[in-house]
Amino acid sequence: MSEDIRLSFEFFPAKTDVGRQKLDKVRDELALLKPEFYSVTYGAGGSTRDNTKKIISDYSSAGFAVAPHLSFGGDDIDTIKQLISEYKAAGVNRIVALRGDMPSGMGGSSQLVYANELVAFIREHFGNHFHLEVAAYPEIHPEAKTFSDDIRYLKGKFDAGANSAITQYFFNPDAYFYFMEQCQKAGITQPIYPGIMPILNYQNLARFSSSCGAEIPRWLRKALENYADDEVSLRAFGVDMISELSATLLDNGAPGLHFYTMNQTDPTATIVRNLGLDPAAG
Ligand code: FAD
């Protein structure tokens, strides 16, 4: 494994004061693992705009490297530009630039349609101030007609000025390796960081996976079903399985890992430690 493996940790914006206090604690615990940055998700349509902005600006002023997600959904370009200016003023220099999915029933007046247009918009108005991350889909975005279309559109995001990508989570390492091969063939040279989803609860994972197009392989589905109501054993199995998946990815050239922490210190911290990536352990 390379010495300079990039770790990043994703949070969703806490809605209550208690949730926020818990999140601050998780942030401090995960800080021991020296992440490159923390990212905070954003509900397309602006549903979490204030919460995301508040957490990002508080963490940035406290000296943490942060990256707001910006999924424009139906937002018009003035709203998007204003938000990005506020992030810049708050000392933020990284953004995860996304199209987002509009909650059903919500319309929008955005002049932007795809994420490559957001990337181009940020480059046009903010130059190279921001490091721009975009989304990538080793198992292919659910709306993509073909595999090669999706890779072509990912290339379009890099051509528009993105610096790196973070993937949707997946459980089959071959999906990532094959995807990386195809990206290289398409001329993509920028780093693509696997998104890692710890396993916490089978029902939630199954529901979310079917909507975002992440496949739970049959063997894994069956293994998880086995634990039914025994969440302690399920989490222990999940830590072993995801540690193994992460090790395979890093051993075979993944440049780092982006953890969907679900606002919890564990299992992310245990997985990172299992990988021998805790700086405190030497
Ligand atoms: P795009 O890159 O625009 O792609 C969307 C679809 O359009 C794909 O099928 C693509 O193949 C196709 N496409 C792209 N460009 C073109 C084009 N020029 N012409 C025709 N078709 C095209 N969602 C949120 O709401 N908030 C978040 O905080 C959030 N965080 C995420 C973090 C990560 C790491 C990932 C992987 C996803 C995240 N999402 C988030 C989900 C994401 O917004 C959805 O997957 C959304 O459906 C697609 O966003 P995108 O930026 O990949 O879109």
Side-chain angles (χ1 to χ4, degrees):
M1 269 184 226
S2 141
E3 288 292 290
D4 32 73
I5 287 164
R6 185 184 100 171
L7 292 179
S8 51
F9 299 136
E10 180 173 312
F11 297 144
F12 55 84
K15 286 195 191 119
T16 60
D17 290 347
V18 174
R20 174 61 196 270
Q21 278 161 20
K22 278 191 192 152
L23 187 60
D24 294 353
K25 184 164 178 278
V26 170
R27 175 203 65 189
D28 291 343
E29 287 165 354
L30 290 176
L32 301 174
L33 303 171
K34 304 261 181 280
E36 180 105 352
F37 64 94
Y38 297 94
S39 79
V40 181
T41 61
Y42 182 82
S47 55
T48 70
R49 185 174 298 130
D50 293 343
N51 269 349
T52 301
K53 214 164 59 180
K54 175 96 177 77
I55 293 172
I56 287 288
S57 68
D58 289 353
Y59 285 13
S60 179
S61 11
F64 293 94
V66 284
H69 292 211
L70 205 173
S71 46
F72 57 83
D75 286 349
D76 64 60
I77 46 174
D78 293 336
T79 307
I80 298 166
K81 198 171 169 193
Q82 170 68 24
L83 183 59
I84 300 170
S85 302
E86 289 175 35
Y87 284 141
K88 188 176 173 191
V92 171
N93 58 12
R94 186 187 298 264
I95 287 178
V96 184
L98 304 147
R99 183 196 70 174
D101 294 312
M102 288 291 285
S104 58
M106 268 179 91
S109 59
S110 187
Q111 292 90 331
L112 306 178
V113 181
Y114 295 109
N116 66 303
E117 294 163 46
L118 175 61
V119 172
F121 179 81
I122 298 175
R123 288 288 175 244
E124 185 190 339
H125 294 277
F126 298 89
N128 286 331
H129 177 79
F130 293 102
H131 178 112
L132 296 179
E133 309 274 345
V134 289
Y137 303 85
E139 293 178 337
I140 299 309
H141 186 266
E143 286 165 36
K145 286 204 186 72
T146 66
F147 193 99
S148 55
D149 274 357
D150 213 27
I151 292 198
R152 190 155 50 83
Y153 294 134
L154 174 61
K155 172 98 171 37
K157 296 195 263 195
F158 286 119
D159 291 345
N163 302 97
S164 44
I166 299 169
T167 76
Q168 185 55 277
Y169 67 88
F170 54 87
F171 297 110
N172 176 1
D174 287 336
Y176 174 79
F177 299 135
Y178 179 71
F179 179 71
M180 291 307 293
E181 256 177 54
Q182 300 310 307
C183 286
Q184 275 148 22
K185 282 188 188 155
I188 294 173
T189 52
Q190 290 85 346
I192 300 179
Y193 296 90
I196 301 294
M197 179 65 91
I199 297 176
L200 300 169
N201 173 294
Y202 173 58
Q203 258 73 33
N204 291 348
L205 185 72
R207 196 172 333 109
F208 188 57
S209 300
S210 72
S211 69
C212 72
E215 190 186 42
I216 306 180
R218 182 179 154 82
W219 69 267
L220 179 57
R221 194 175 280 276
K222 293 287 166 199
L224 296 176
E225 278 168 8
N226 234 5
Y227 293 105
D229 299 324
D230 181 359
E231 215 156 278
V232 173
S233 306
L234 178 128
R235 284 173 79 121
F237 169 83
V239 164
D240 287 349
M241 193 257 150
I242 299 295
S243 300
E244 245 174 72
L245 168 68
S246 303
T248 304
L249 293 167
L250 294 174
D251 286 346
N252 289 279
L257 302 169
H258 176 83
F259 282 87
Y260 298 102
T261 68
M262 308 306 287
N263 290 7
Q264 300 188 24
T265 303
D266 269 322
T268 295
T270 307
I271 295 168
V272 171
R273 294 198 168 102
N274 286 349
L275 293 167
L277 296 177
D278 180 355

